Amino acid sequence: MLTILGFVMIATFLVLIMMKKMSPMAALVLIPALFCVLVGQGAHLGDYVLKGIGDLAPTAAMLMFAIIYFGVMIDVGLFDPVVRGILRFCKADPVRVVVGTALLAAIVSLDGDGSTTFMITVSALYPLYKRLKMSLVVMTGVAATANGVMNTLPWGGPTARAATALKLDAGDIFVPMIPALAVGLVAVFALAYVLGRRERKRLGVLTLGDTRVVTEAADEQESEQVLVGAGAVGAGGVPAGGSRTSGGTGTGTGSGAAPSAGGPRDADDGLQTLDPHRATLRPKLYWFNAALTVALLTLLILQALPIPVLFLLGAALALTVNFPHMKDQKARIAAHAENVLNVSGMVFAAAVFTGVLTGTGMVEHMARWLVSGIPDALGPHMGIVTGVLSIPLTYFMSNDGFYFGIVPILAEAGAAHGVAPVEIARASLVGQALHMSSPLVPAVYVLVGMAKVEFGDHTRFTVKWAALTSLVVLGAGLLFGIL
């Protein structure tokens, strides 16, 4: 019964948010609360929720101060050279913009933290996507998938968890997987190129000014649709997915965001981070801020201190040095308060979902049901089975739940058929490309929140591409004899 109710709860949640019948925050709270009562454990709901909040509180603290820190760094102009470099590379070509998104996300992902990657990527590219009227879900989908592949770095989390759970060396797990993960990253760039071509066909070749030079779409007068844009409104008030001719400028962004009061203001909102004359710039402190950020990321990779503590100290130091006056510090905190509230609120809402899913035993029953359903004939191929199962399981579960709860069971089943635990550990990394878009990953709410994309739109667009990328990694692992 718990197995069935667990799957029904997850399916109900996904359907409601993708159909936009409930907001993600409300769905994360109300649906698990209802199912907790249905399984007859309503009296323990408070305990489950508090346990979930306790587990995710450090993550919420990390995200709160990380948003403030990188928000301040954006305000003072630390990333302006990056933005200018991207603009020179992209040259207003949608293909270059989307490929640049994958490249930037992959490079920044070397720090091993998804929220940091998404904050830097969105901050750098959001104005460009808005100016060019490109679909914002393309940006979030490509960034999340690229980060998912790179999230397998030994200091990124999953590899370390697999090594700890199975008492293995992280290098023995990760190093042999490098060729397969490299193929996965190539697949991400290929995906970015294809999506960029689709955007170029939809929009034509663009300029960074108000004039649009139409080439591929010059002779098309029929209506065109944005890639994903249900409910979105483009600049100028044209509904996303609505009619436009190739000579018009009003297109949907695919963000799912509510329209602002007038098209010009919407466009200006997307260009604020590129304003070279904003009052918050601190050019004399540029090298200090750069050194502080490099030091922070280095300490993060070395795990010298807990990540929430690092960002807390970094945010406090950045505010104090760049804005020594109390009034200015309050203004900067207030400027980023909306993002902080949205993301931290979503994390604590997710704590209800994970708390109930784990506390009621649903997740354990679901996992054991899946493992028990594996035919004996597949026993010698448990590496492949683990890779396939990692795709849905890491989407519906936290990494802790999967690596400490499920992977040991799979390793035990594999050992009975002569499959080495290290092979199971490597296969368990396959699903990470999809995992980074899971509703249980706090960093994804940073991504969609800063990009002003509805989570349902992001899910509907990204899941298929991320799952395909995971299958490419799995196929490469088999081809190279790694799995």
Side-chain angles (χ1 to χ4, degrees):
M1 179 60 73
L2 284 175
T3 301
I4 296 173
L5 288 175
F7 282 115
V8 172
M9 183 177 88
I10 292 171
T12 302
F13 168 77
L14 291 174
V15 169
L16 288 176
I17 62 170
M18 285 193 288
M19 294 181 64
K20 299 184 181 180
K21 299 298 183 182
M22 293 182 73
S23 69
M25 185 177 293
L28 284 167
V29 173
L30 297 179
I31 292 173
L34 173 62
F35 276 82
C36 185
V37 174
L38 291 178
V39 300
Q41 299 188 38
H44 301 289
L45 177 61
D47 295 333
Y48 299 154
V49 172
L50 289 178
K51 176 65 167 59
I53 290 176
D55 291 340
L56 290 181
T59 301
M62 181 271 289
L63 291 175
M64 288 172 62
F65 291 105
I67 289 171
I68 293 175
Y69 179 83
F70 283 106
V72 169
M73 290 298 111
I74 293 162
D75 293 337
V76 301
L78 178 62
F79 301 113
D80 282 18
V82 177
V83 175
R84 288 194 291 268
I86 291 172
L87 289 174
R88 285 194 294 268
F89 167 76
C90 294
K91 297 180 180 178
D93 180 3
V95 173
R96 290 190 174 209
V97 172
V98 182
V99 172
T101 302
L103 179 61
L104 180 61
I107 292 173
V108 182
S109 294
L110 290 171
D111 76 339
D113 180 60
S115 56
T116 302
T117 299
F118 296 148
M119 279 185 276
I120 293 176
T121 302
V122 175
S123 298
L125 294 172
Y126 177 81
L128 186 57
Y129 274 78
K130 290 289 287 184
R131 170 68 77 87
L132 300 180
K133 306 295 188 294
M134 292 178 62
S135 178
L136 291 170
V137 289
V138 172
M139 177 177 67
T140 62
V142 169
T145 306
N147 178 251
V149 175
M150 296 296 290
N151 192 45
T152 53
L153 292 166
W155 54 87
T159 301
R161 287 180 174 91
T164 303
L166 299 182
K167 297 179 175 59
L168 300 169
D169 182 81
D172 292 338
I173 299 172
F174 175 74
V175 174
M177 279 293 290
I178 290 177
L181 295 172
V183 172
L185 197 57
V186 170
V188 173
F189 285 111
L191 169 65
Y193 178 79
V194 171
L195 294 177
R197 293 278 299 181
R198 288 171 60 178
E199 282 292 86
R200 180 195 283 172
K201 182 177 180 181
R202 180 173 71 87
L203 297 169
V205 176
L206 311 171
T207 64
L208 286 175
D210 292 329
T211 319
R212 188 157 66 88
V213 181
V214 180
T215 55
E216 296 182 35
D219 297 325
E220 297 182 17
Q221 298 298 321
E222 65 271 17
S223 301
E224 297 177 302
Q225 305 291 323
V226 296
L227 295 178
V228 173
V233 178
V238 179
S243 298
R244 72 170 178 88
T245 61
S246 59
T249 58
T251 64
T253 65
S255 67
S260 61
R265 180 184 174 190
D266 185 62
D268 290 340
D269 287 346
L271 294 171
Q272 286 178 352
T273 56
L274 287 177
D275 181 3
H277 306 295
R278 57 191 185 277
T280 58
L281 288 176
R282 297 293 186 269
K284 293 182 179 180
L285 293 171
Y286 182 85
W287 291 112
F288 167 81
N289 289 316
L292 178 62
T293 302
V294 170
L296 178 64
L297 297 180
T298 301
L299 292 173
L300 187 151
I301 292 172
L302 296 176
Q303 300 180 4
L305 285 172
I307 296 178
V309 177
L310 287 174
F311 277 115
L312 191 155
L313 295 173
L317 187 57
L319 279 169
T320 302
V321 173
N322 289 283
F323 302 97
H325 300 294
M326 183 71 69
K327 179 181 178 182
D328 294 333
Q329 291 182 16
K330 289 182 177 180
R332 289 303 88 212
I333 293 172
H336 303 290
E338 181 180 357
N339 278 337
V340 170
L341 179 61
N342 287 339
V343 172
S344 59
M346 202 69 74
V347 172
F348 287 123
V352 180
F353 194 94
T354 58
V356 170
L357 199 61
T358 303
T360 57
M362 289 185 198
V363 68
E364 182 179 354
H365 280 74
M366 292 162 62
R368 291 191 177 276
W369 176 79
L370 286 172
V371 173
S372 64
I374 299 173
D376 291 337
L378 292 179
H381 308 288
M382 280 302 295
I384 301 174
V385 171
T386 300
V388 172
L389 289 179
S390 72
I391 299 174
L393 289 182
T394 55
Y395 184 78
F396 296 127
M397 300 173 62
S398 67
N399 269 341
D400 284 338
F402 176 70
Y403 285 101
F404 294 117
I406 308 304
V407 170
I409 298 174
L410 293 170
E412 183 179 342
H417 293 86
V419 179
V422 70
E423 187 174 334
I424 301 297
R426 292 169 190 161
S428 69
L429 302 178
V430 166
Q432 288 302 306
L434 178 60
H435 171 74
M436 287 310 298
S437 290
S438 166
L440 303 181
V441 174
V444 75
Y445 298 112
V446 176
L447 176 64
V448 299
M450 293 187 67
K452 297 179 175 62
V453 170
E454 291 288 343
F455 182 76
D457 286 341
H458 171 78
T459 300
R460 196 161 53 243
F461 176 80
T462 306
V463 165
K464 57 182 178 293
W465 300 118
L468 179 61
T469 302
S470 292
L471 290 174
V472 168
V473 173
L474 178 61
L478 294 174
L479 182 64
F480 295 138
I482 301 168
L483 302 178

